[in-house]
Amino acid sequence: MMKVLLVRPPITLTVARRLQSFLHLEPLALEIVAGGIPSPHETRILDLACEKAEDGAFLRSFSEFKPDVIGFTAYSNEAATVKRLAALAKSHQAGVFVMVGGTHATTAPEDLHLPGVIDLVIRGEGGTAMRELIPRLEQKAPLPESDAFLPVNSPQFDALAASLPPELPPYDQVPAARRDLVDRSRYYCIWHGKPGERLPTLFPRTGAARTSVGCPFRCSFCVVHYLARGKYVRRTPEDAVNEIVAIPEDHVYFLDDEMFIDAERATRIAQLLLERGVRKYYVSWARADTIVKHPDVFKLWKEVGLTLIYVGLESMEPDNLQDYNKHVSPEVNRQAIAILRDLDIGLHASLMVNPDFTEADFAKVRRAINVVGPAEMSFTVFSPPPGTELWKKHRAEFCCPDPYAFYDGMHTLLRTRMPLKKFYRQLAGLWLCAARNSPLLRNKVKVPLRDRIRFFYSGFWYGCSVQHIYRDYAGLP
């Protein structure tokens, strides 16, 4: 029997840590990986994003559990931390087997080529990979080598790393998540409620679910089409509903890249939930054109319990939408907003700013905020996604020595037209403008005083962290 420790790294960038005050979901990807590890092997999940003294928590867990295998997941901005923790593990137990998977391993495996620190890079779906890998490790057999398995000591590593990510497996091959391996009381999502409603808490415990992977669209700022090779892999409605029923929380956050593209499947999931008498509250992502094409689907989901939809509007300017390859128009965005408003489904609108924005461009975004609100809103900075042709095209233009470390949707990788300090002051101003349009304030939702204080306190410090992002570039040319 082997002991396997799966680790979600801590969040290091200040702005990302502040955002966690509003949304902190269970490490579903690691739970799925754990589901692929066959018994009788013992598996634990260590979520360092929940810990304050991350290195101490890692070493305590490492010393207590004494794992034979450590598996890290990582987004690109967490890669440097994972490398450091992997080296720390090797320094305490040279024989421990270290593997790294997740988004960064799939898009930029060459960045993890660290012999003596990392033993294996895994690309693609980690849960199915475990079914092949763990028996080999147990038997001390040679490691597999393919577009999914990249042994760091292999002479073929560079060639394998240069290949496209592996194809996604059919969803019926993906193991069920081991939700029992985490402390579920630690995970929550902000929930604003309806106009005039009284909520028992603004931050209810929230479970995460995934009913599909991938997206058939190719937005220029998004890495999903590269990760999924342009595929959209779906679970059957019956399988999706069975998982939703099994989630212990009453609030569920769908992690699908876009859950409603297959309107027939989304309709069937809703119908099954109604037939089985499942009453929960849901939040999900959807494209504006999906909402406009299928308003009846969202009307049905409103009946099921859909409370909030995240919509990547990105912009209300046609030129920007064309540059982002969104295949939607400002009019479609406006129609989607109106449909959700008529259905009384909450909107979280995501808008994007470009590094070459001028003050006039930021003014246009402020006007868009007034059109979109009242709604939750967030803002991201356009950056080329790792692994894509756009990343390779702009690589020589990046304004930071480790662009992976700053790839978080908030730090610019490209030089800004206006001075960096002024750029982030303008961006922070957008958050302040959006806060005035918050549904919590505009709709006069009643929440416990402690939650209201937490909301304003966290919002204030998040706004400060956005304004001060420029400091992260101190000393850079």
Side-chain angles (χ1 to χ4, degrees), residues 356-414:
D356 65 354
F357 265 21
T358 63
E359 290 189 51
D361 294 313
F362 277 103
K364 290 178 182 179
V365 181
R366 287 194 292 274
R367 289 195 292 271
I369 290 171
N370 294 324
V371 172
V372 174
E376 292 184 17
M377 295 186 207
S378 57
F379 307 91
T380 56
V381 180
F382 174 83
S383 291
T388 64
E389 290 302 316
L390 198 62
W391 175 276
K392 298 172 185 175
K393 175 183 176 181
H394 290 286
R395 184 69 190 253
E397 305 168 27
F398 291 156
C399 61
C400 44
D402 183 2
Y404 295 125
F406 281 5
Y407 184 70
D408 66 344
M410 294 300 293
H411 287 75
T412 182
L413 302 186
L414 301 170

Side-chain angles (χ1 to χ4, degrees), residues 117-170:
V117 176
I118 296 170
D119 298 295
L120 180 67
V121 176
I122 298 178
R123 305 175 80 192
E125 182 59 61
T128 52
M130 290 304 101
R131 291 177 173 150
E132 180 177 353
L133 176 65
I134 296 300
R136 292 204 183 199
L137 293 179
E138 185 181 22
Q139 299 163 12
K140 295 180 171 47
L143 294 174
E145 295 190 34
S146 67
D147 55 1
F149 297 97
L150 285 66
V152 170
N153 289 323
S154 169
Q156 301 302 316
F157 183 91
D158 290 340
L160 293 173
S163 65
L164 290 173
E167 295 274 1
L168 293 173

